[in-house]
Amino acid sequence: MSCIHIQRTSAYCRSIVGFQHHRRKIAASSYVQRQFESRSLSSAPVTSSPDTSVGKSSNKDIATDNKYSTPLITDEGIKIFQADPNTASSGLGLTWGSVLWPSGSCLAKYLYWKQQQQRANDDDVDVIDNNTRILELGCGTGVVGLTCAKLGARHVTLSDSASELWPILRKSIEANDIDTTSINIYNLDWRDPSTFLNPSMTNSHHQSNRYDLVVAADVLYAGMDGLFARTLASHLPSKDEIDGQKPPVALIACPFRTDSPLFNFFGIVKRLGLELDRLEDGNGSAAGAAPGTNLCEAFYDSSFVPLCGGGEGEEEIRWRHVATGPSFSLLNHDRVQIFRVRRISGDSSNARAIRRVGRI
């Protein structure tokens, strides 16, 4: 086979993978569409370098009508600009990331509550302070990262490969008066490991790519579990990779779905050397908070409980229950689960070396 034919075949395969990725988003969006239609949203220069300034927004950045021309303001006072998924689309699928969804709101509330309570101990890396460096994967509207920035994080990287989202992210950064030297937008594509940020290296501005906390919300759809697991594991280094410093952890918020890929995701992350815990209340139900709820009541007596371990078969039974039939705390009206992920074996370089996620 000639080199030209190989190159053309490779390019064709990449285009098919990209198209299938967007088709999966559409296939998984019937549940999202119903939520979108039922929720009131009416009040509601980036390069490949992670170091670029976000710059000022422009009225030409994105087409908005009255429904999206003003930001939605969260209970925590964060201004979030949104865009119509239909008009923000690149043509390959609806850009659902342009709308604020409950998982992002729930995770932002948890981080806000943690800082307000100052419930810090030796294991609490999810309390934001002026030394915390944060990476948000698949940021969408950026509600989690923007909340972290307003909580005083040292630096926040908002990453997403959907360039249609960057203008509304710029508008939200500007609206929240966030210092542009402490936040940036980065084009991180889960399908392309060359865009991953190697935590054991420094970037072109001689700044470390190491993050203390990785966050993500509503990023797991059918068919996306392997891609996200590889990306997540690639940004959770071992202690040895970062010169003995305390390794980062990740917090992931996921809404309940009947077609949830969580069960398969749990198995993949374990094979990649990661450990999972779920935030639960005193009754063993998934703890969370919906807009308008009292955070002290919502997260009272909550703690992270391991999902891994147990006797033969017990681990998979628990995984299946959490993925297909979880219970939720009384104030977790949007049925969101928050997971903590930590590395217990292997290293991030092994994950970055994976080329075919279907074989994980």
Side-chain angles (χ1 to χ4, degrees), residues 116-168:
Q116 296 302 306
Q117 294 298 307
Q118 291 294 303
R119 295 179 55 176
N121 58 50
D122 290 342
D123 296 321
D124 264 345
V125 297
D126 47 356
V127 175
I128 309 300
D129 60 32
N130 57 10
N131 290 314
T132 310
R133 292 176 57 87
I134 292 169
L135 169 65
E136 183 171 7
L137 297 172
C139 68
T141 61
V143 63
V144 182
L146 292 167
T147 300
C148 292
K150 293 297 285 185
L151 288 175
R154 177 182 176 183
H155 192 274
V156 175
T157 295
L158 304 172
S159 74
D160 205 298
S161 62
S163 59
E164 300 88 348
L165 300 173
W166 299 343
I168 62 173

Side-chain angles (χ1 to χ4, degrees), residues 120-320:
N121 58 50
D122 290 342
D123 296 321
D124 264 345
V125 297
D126 47 356
V127 175
I128 309 300
D129 60 32
N130 57 10
N131 290 314
T132 310
R133 292 176 57 87
I134 292 169
L135 169 65
E136 183 171 7
L137 297 172
C139 68
T141 61
V143 63
V144 182
L146 292 167
T147 300
C148 292
K150 293 297 285 185
L151 288 175
R154 177 182 176 183
H155 192 274
V156 175
T157 295
L158 304 172
S159 74
D160 205 298
S161 62
S163 59
E164 300 88 348
L165 300 173
W166 299 343
I168 62 173
L169 288 172
R170 293 192 193 99
K171 288 166 69 73
S172 294
I173 291 169
E174 185 177 342
N176 286 286
D177 295 321
I178 299 173
D179 184 352
T180 56
T181 63
S182 66
I183 192 167
N184 67 280
I185 304 168
Y186 179 60
N187 181 13
L188 196 156
D189 188 340
W190 301 353
R191 295 163 295 176
D192 183 2
S194 70
T195 68
F196 293 177
L197 299 168
N198 187 337
S200 62
M201 299 177 63
T202 56
N203 54 46
S204 59
H205 288 246
H206 307 292
Q207 297 173 330
S208 173
N209 284 331
R210 187 181 73 83
Y211 294 90
D212 303 291
L213 180 64
V214 179
V215 294
D218 208 349
V219 293
L220 281 168
Y221 297 85
M224 295 296 292
D225 45 353
L227 285 171
F228 176 68
R230 177 183 65 176
T231 304
L232 178 64
S234 296
H235 293 87
L236 292 179
S238 64
K239 195 172 183 179
D240 292 338
E241 290 181 277
I242 51 177
D243 301 323
Q245 299 180 60
K246 189 173 183 178
V249 302
L251 293 177
I252 305 168
C254 303
F256 176 70
R257 291 192 176 92
T258 54
D259 63 344
S260 169
L262 278 176
F263 181 77
N264 193 47
F265 174 73
F266 294 154
I268 294 174
V269 295
K270 183 177 181 179
R271 291 192 290 274
L272 291 174
L274 305 179
E275 178 182 65
L276 281 151
D277 309 314
R278 185 177 73 149
L279 186 68
E280 299 181 358
D281 65 8
N283 297 317
S285 298
T293 57
N294 184 301
L295 299 188
C296 290
E297 293 179 8
F299 294 114
Y300 172 75
D301 201 27
S302 64
S303 61
F304 282 101
V305 178
L307 289 182
C308 300
E312 184 177 354
E314 292 181 9
E315 185 177 68
E316 289 195 3
I317 292 174
R318 177 155 167 75
W319 288 355
R320 194 169 295 281

